[in-house]
Amino acid sequence: MTDLETPVAVPRVPALRRAAPALLGYVAVRALGLFVLAVWSAARGKSAYTLLTARWDSLWYTRVAELGYGYEVRLPNGDVHSNLAFFPLLPWLERLLHALTPLSYAGAGFTVALLASLAAAWGIFAVADVVYGPRVGVCAVLVWAVLPVGIVQSMAYSESLFTALAAWSLYAVLTGRWVGAGALAALAGLTRPVGLAVVAAVWTAGVVSFVRDRSGGAREQSASDVQGAHGGEHAPEVSGAARARRVPQPTGAHHTARAPHIPYVSYGAPVWRRALGMLLAPAGTAAYVLWVGHRTGKGPLGYLDVQAGWRNGFDGGYAFARFVGDKFTSFPSALAGAGLIAGVGLLLWLYVTGLRQRQPLPLLVYTGVVLALALCASSYFGSKPRLLMPAFPVLFPLARALARLRTGRSALVMAGVAVASAVYGAFWLNGSGPP
């Protein structure tokens, strides 16, 4: 099983027009969430805008944007919370937007988050569209929008920005744009530590492509056969219905199922493009981590010391398992523990389902790393739902199931879930909320 056996390319329909239904649906869901949050917050005497822009991590980002790095808080227990833990791309964009507009740093962060969430929705649609077709793409965006913690997509946090960069980097990998994939992966690596997941996806795809080159270049031959079969670039246009029916037969152990209206391109890009993309991919993460190590005087591992000051680390899930286990010490909390186990089980089931449905290899690698880093870290457990938000390919099995329903029925389902998500988001943000 490998996605490199499945050629894909950009649809001929203009990209924005093709994505318009998904983007309009996304805007509607997020507008509903913001409206419910505003009403709920007003009823509690709070400011929805403040909740979105000036609490928790958003304050750390705006402080970096305004004053730079070097700020830290020493807690009574000896922990040191340093703003070096926060990667720089979002603060840089906040500073730039503040310099170019009358917006405050908090307002700039909110604006960046809103624009990035739209870019993320578009990127998610593009990835799902290339793999499964536009109907699944629309459903994938809507499922991502109605996540219980979807309100974070509209906060001055870095989740939306990172998801946008990750989605478009994965799209670039799937469509053979290696340099663009590497550059976007580098930017994702300047946004959050989980940028390593994007790097892993780019590198895995690159290594597999080089291995296939050494084994005979079957990929390039496949692309040539397809072009020859369809008369090359001057082949006559085929009707939409005919394209929709064109499903290739299995070849060997692989069965390739291509979405309607998706033409073919080859992953056989020049070696130098693939190599350059792979070299660019880790540049963002490496640059920031090395800079932090130099700044702290603790070398390449200095960033790990910064994270340790926040009680963040990777313990293989031991701390999280203990946290869940402690929930079963009393009856009311045992329900929460059972819910956590069910939630983790659902995530793992969805991931295995994507594996069985032969998701492209870069998506599987990316999702697997995001899930591992989120579930196996010893960080604040209340933040895990939002840390899982960038793992959007894990939602594709749900999107495919939703796409098989009649349009009216799927719209009714999504409308009900959107209302529930909006209510939960307002309740959550007015209560414990992130960090």
Side-chain angles (χ1 to χ4, degrees), residues 64-81:
V64 173
E66 183 177 4
L67 302 175
Y69 286 103
Y71 176 78
E72 62 183 29
V73 175
R74 294 184 178 272
L75 303 183
N77 65 356
D79 290 346
V80 178
H81 289 184

Side-chain angles (χ1 to χ4, degrees), residues 158-170:
S158 59
E159 272 75 13
S160 290
L161 179 61
F162 174 80
T163 304
L165 294 168
W168 285 108
S169 179
L170 292 171

Side-chain angles (χ1 to χ4, degrees), residues 46 59 145 157 187 191 208 235 245 293 299 326 348 350 360 390 420-421 435:
K46 296 182 179 181
L59 290 175
Y157 272 44
L187 290 175
T191 308
V208 171
R245 292 192 300 269
D326 290 342
L348 297 179
L350 288 173
S421 174

Side-chain angles (χ1 to χ4, degrees), residues 110-408:
F110 182 56
T111 303
V112 169
L114 291 181
L115 295 177
S117 68
L118 286 173
W122 192 354
I124 292 169
F125 170 82
V127 171
D129 180 25
V130 139
V131 179
Y132 299 117
R135 186 176 178 87
V136 176
V138 172
C139 293
V141 170
L142 294 178
V143 172
W144 189 70
V146 301
L147 289 174
V149 294
I151 192 65
V152 174
Q153 297 164 17
S154 302
M155 295 181 68
Y157 272 44
S158 59
E159 272 75 13
S160 290
L161 179 61
F162 174 80
T163 304
L165 294 168
W168 285 108
S169 179
L170 292 171
Y171 174 77
V173 168
L174 294 177
T175 54
R177 295 167 168 83
W178 291 93
V179 178
L184 289 166
L187 290 175
L190 285 171
T191 308
R192 297 187 62 81
V194 75
L196 292 172
V198 192
V199 177
V202 174
W203 271 71
T204 301
V207 169
V208 171
S209 73
F210 287 132
V211 170
R212 294 195 67 257
D213 284 350
R214 291 177 61 86
S215 65
R219 174 72 181 136
E220 288 77 6
Q221 182 62 43
S222 173
S224 300
D225 291 345
V226 170
Q227 186 181 32
H230 296 291
E233 63 182 10
H234 300 293
E237 286 292 320
V238 183
S239 70
R243 283 197 299 269
R245 292 192 300 269
R246 184 188 297 153
V247 179
Q249 298 300 314
T251 302
H254 303 284
H255 176 62
T256 58
R258 302 181 180 95
H261 310 288
I262 305 292
Y264 305 93
V265 295
S266 173
Y267 271 89
V271 171
W272 72 268
R273 286 184 177 273
R274 284 179 278 168
L276 180 57
M278 293 175 68
L279 288 174
L280 285 174
T285 300
Y288 184 67
V289 168
L290 292 175
W291 178 81
V292 170
H294 174 74
R295 169 112 181 195
T296 60
K298 297 183 178 180
L301 300 181
Y303 183 76
L304 297 181
D305 290 336
V306 171
Q307 287 286 4
W310 287 81
R311 298 291 180 98
N312 292 334
F314 188 87
D315 62 1
Y318 174 74
F320 185 46
R322 287 191 59 184
F323 173 77
V324 174
D326 290 342
K327 294 293 183 181
F328 290 93
T329 57
S330 63
F331 174 71
S333 64
L335 296 178
L340 289 171
I341 293 175
V344 173
L346 175 62
L347 285 172
L348 297 179
W349 178 78
L350 288 173
Y351 184 75
V352 172
T353 301
L355 185 67
R356 290 175 175 172
Q357 293 178 350
R358 310 171 80 95
Q359 266 191 23
L361 183 60
L363 302 188
L364 292 171
V365 171
Y366 167 78
T367 306
V369 175
V370 174
L371 293 179
L373 290 177
L375 296 177
C376 298
S378 58
S379 57
Y380 176 68
F381 303 114
S383 65
K384 291 191 181 294
R386 70 175 179 87
L387 296 180
L388 290 165
M389 188 180 300
F392 64 89
V394 81
L395 303 174
F396 286 176
L398 294 178
R400 295 186 70 185
L402 189 65
R404 287 193 289 267
L405 299 178
R406 294 180 181 273
T407 301

